[in-house]
Amino acid sequence: MKRALAIAIALLLPAGAFAQQTLAGPSELKNAIQDVLEAFHEDYGFPGATVAVVNRTGDIDTVAVGMADVEANTPMRPESRMLAASIGKTVWGALTLSLEADGSLDRSDLVSVYLGSQPWFAHLPNADTMTVGQLLTHTSGLPDHVHMDGAAEALIALGETSPFDPAKAVALVLDAPPLFEAGTAWAYTDTGYLLLGLVIEAATGESVFSLAQDRLLAPVGLRSTTPSDAPELEGLAVGYTTPDNPFGLPVRTMDETGKLTWNPAIEWTGGGFASTSADLALWGNALFTGRVLPSDYLPDLRDGVSVHADAPGVFYGSGVAIYQGTPYGTVLGHGGWIPGYVSSLRHYADHDLTIAFQINSDVGVVDDSTDLVPALEAALAEVVLGTASQ
């Protein structure tokens, strides 16, 4: 249900239950970010967006533009939440490393150790050879169930049953040929991350979302990040999609009562969270500077595989894209797409600076007809890193 991270081979709440962290006051940097976002809003015509920047001292600047609900004339605010989609993979990567550190599982383990007793498991491509680590790095050879024939209709139907059963989504690839032998190449697959979630639950006997909250999100202080496991999510901005979207959704993906017209639970551990740009930036800054786990996990997090021979310097680690040799040095992060929303999370390691943004529309992004996401990433990096260096 997400775009493959915009892995850039061409070189993402109201007061009360979701109270947001105190934000920095007006500043030259904040004004510069606002100017960039307003210019993009005018040029690209999306409904609304938020941007957050966390610097090396942990200060955060957040801005917003446009509308969270066009029809109701509700402005977008820094605390407006949106679906973060595949950025959630950074959480599942960190959780896997956390469980490995305490001996609950190992990345070298065969997936069959945990799921081999399931009656459907033997029908998976590379069932006998793929490892937990290969699920993490998209080197399992599994197809992506989201792009199988009939997947859109099947997933929407699965979302109508409660609770959502991720094994039924995995079933979309059963008996399909593998894309390649496990461990020999790279191909982005949400199916691998659904299997990773099932592995984690089998290894621990606990809910993946409870583990993520207790081990990662709560300690970092992410008060606006919650599982996107139901159509009704508090504080969610309305998402807007294309009339001819593959899931047959209305352009406005939320009804007048604030309920999504589909169930985002079908994403499960392919992503799985609603969040704010501020929370995403705080999470990325903590994760990529080594402050999320007590162990020295950064080498394992950044132990990546090459994405493609035509994209030298682009790697994928444990739930994280790694860009080496960019004009700003090494960049770590992830992107996210889900109907009605796009998100970006990028950490500039050489500058100890993290930028996240969210947009409540996937128009032009889902069909590759716009350069909005990479263009906004580049513009924000230029203005933020330029301002930060002054």
Side-chain angles (χ1 to χ4, degrees), residues 198-217:
L198 291 170
V199 164
I200 290 171
E201 293 197 335
T204 63
E206 299 182 52
S207 158
V208 284
F209 287 102
S210 294
L211 286 166
Q213 175 67 22
D214 294 343
R215 288 183 177 234
L216 304 173
L217 306 184

Side-chain angles (χ1 to χ4, degrees), residues 41 45-49 65-68 70 76 238 240 359-361:
H41 181 238
F46 49 79
V65 70
M67 293 292 164
V70 174
M76 187 71 78
V238 176
Y240 296 87
I359 301 170
N360 62 334
S361 171

Side-chain angles (χ1 to χ4, degrees), residues 104 108-117 121 127-128 130 132 199 202-203:
S104 297
S108 65
D109 291 339
L110 291 171
V111 178
S112 60
V113 169
Y114 302 96
L115 303 179
S117 63
F121 185 80
D128 295 332
M130 61 183 170
V132 174
V199 164

Side-chain angles (χ1 to χ4, degrees), residues 15 65 71 76 92 133 165 252 274 300 343:
V65 70
E71 291 74 20
M76 187 71 78
W92 306 124
D165 182 357
R252 177 189 166 98
D300 291 330
S343 301

Side-chain angles (χ1 to χ4, degrees), residues 132-365:
V132 174
Q134 289 163 354
L135 299 181
L136 267 181
T137 57
H138 298 297
T139 55
S140 64
L142 288 165
D144 191 344
H145 67 278
V146 177
H147 297 108
M148 303 299 284
D149 289 342
E153 297 85 353
L155 288 170
I156 292 296
L158 286 176
E160 296 173 355
T161 61
S162 184
F164 170 68
D165 182 357
K168 291 184 178 179
V170 171
L172 293 169
V173 307
L174 298 184
D175 296 319
L179 301 180
F180 46 79
E181 292 183 12
T184 63
W186 186 93
Y188 192 88
T189 169
D190 286 298
T191 312
Y193 268 73
L194 296 193
L195 288 171
L196 180 64
L198 291 170
V199 164
I200 290 171
E201 293 197 335
T204 63
E206 299 182 52
S207 158
V208 284
F209 287 102
S210 294
L211 286 166
Q213 175 67 22
D214 294 343
R215 288 183 177 234
L216 304 173
L217 306 184
V220 173
L222 305 188
R223 296 189 296 274
S224 297
T225 302
T226 62
S228 51
D229 56 0
E232 295 182 78
L233 299 168
E234 187 175 350
L236 198 70
V238 176
Y240 296 87
T241 189
T242 57
D244 56 350
N245 67 86
F247 298 95
L249 301 176
V251 169
R252 177 189 166 98
T253 63
M254 184 183 290
D255 66 23
E256 64 279 359
T257 71
K259 181 179 179 180
L260 289 168
T261 58
W262 61 289
N263 189 355
I266 60 178
E267 185 185 37
W268 207 52
T269 52
F273 296 97
S275 190
T276 62
S277 289
D279 262 18
L280 294 179
L282 290 167
W283 163 251
N285 191 264
L287 177 66
F288 299 131
T289 57
R291 296 182 288 113
V292 166
L293 304 178
S295 59
D296 181 19
Y297 65 89
L298 282 180
D300 291 330
L301 187 78
R302 296 173 61 164
D303 183 16
V305 298
S306 177
V307 166
H308 197 278
D310 293 335
V314 182
F315 302 86
Y316 198 95
S318 294
V320 55
I322 304 156
Y323 309 86
Q324 296 181 350
T326 79
Y328 302 106
T330 299
V331 182
L332 310 170
H334 216 292
W337 165 79
I338 202 163
Y341 306 89
V342 292
S343 301
S344 170
L345 170 63
R346 294 171 78 86
H347 175 74
Y348 297 85
D350 295 354
H351 303 269
D352 291 334
L353 191 141
T354 309
I355 305 174
F357 65 77
Q358 296 187 285
I359 301 170
N360 62 334
S361 171
D362 66 346
V363 175
V365 177

Side-chain angles (χ1 to χ4, degrees), residues 51-67:
V51 173
V53 178
V54 177
N55 65 19
R56 66 184 64 204
T57 63
D59 295 327
I60 182 168
D61 282 299
T62 305
V63 302
V65 70
M67 293 292 164

